[in-house]
Amino acid sequence: MNQYVIYAFDGTDEEALARRMAARSLHLDVATQLKANHNFIVGGAMLDETGKMVGSTMIVQFETKEAFDAWFSTDPYITMNVWQKIEVHPFRVANI
């Protein structure tokens, strides 16, 4: 199983929060399906100092890189242009 940590930052333009909120329920639906399929380990919104959502962090796992890419390229936060700066790193959850 390949695991990844994703740091995804929203845009900083005036419409960024509105785009996030428009895509949020669709993104959460996808995350719920990922969890049901045991692909979603943990995730949530990154917040600024005022508590405003400004990005996301997720740890996910997939059998193959191709399966990861298939999900990642179709997530609503990607297709609806919410995430503007994205870092994806191989990751390994500590087995403790």
Side-chain angles (χ1 to χ4, degrees):
M1 192 68 69
N2 301 302
Q3 296 178 335
Y4 305 91
V5 61
I6 303 163
Y7 303 107
F9 299 87
D10 296 359
T12 57
D13 57 288
E14 290 183 16
E15 292 80 35
L17 185 57
R19 276 194 311 276
R20 173 179 271 271
M21 297 314 291
R24 190 166 189 259
S25 65
L26 297 170
H27 170 75
L28 292 175
D29 288 346
V30 170
T32 298
Q33 186 62 44
L34 289 176
K35 187 164 183 78
N37 293 338
H38 306 288
N39 298 114
F40 180 89
I41 298 171
V42 67
M46 292 188 290
L47 308 175
D48 69 9
E49 59 280 346
T50 68
K52 177 182 150 195
M53 292 182 283
V54 295
S56 305
T57 300
M58 296 176 73
I59 299 175
V60 296
Q61 61 185 6
F62 290 86
E63 288 292 331
T64 66
K65 176 74 163 78
E66 293 77 19
F68 169 84
D69 291 340
W71 157 71
F72 191 74
S73 66
T74 61
D75 187 277
Y77 278 2
I78 296 288
T79 62
M80 296 176 75
N81 204 28
V82 173
W83 292 339
Q84 304 270 314
K85 177 184 170 198
I86 305 165
E87 297 178 22
V88 177
H89 301 278
F91 192 78
R92 183 176 308 129
V93 173
N95 189 14
I96 55 174

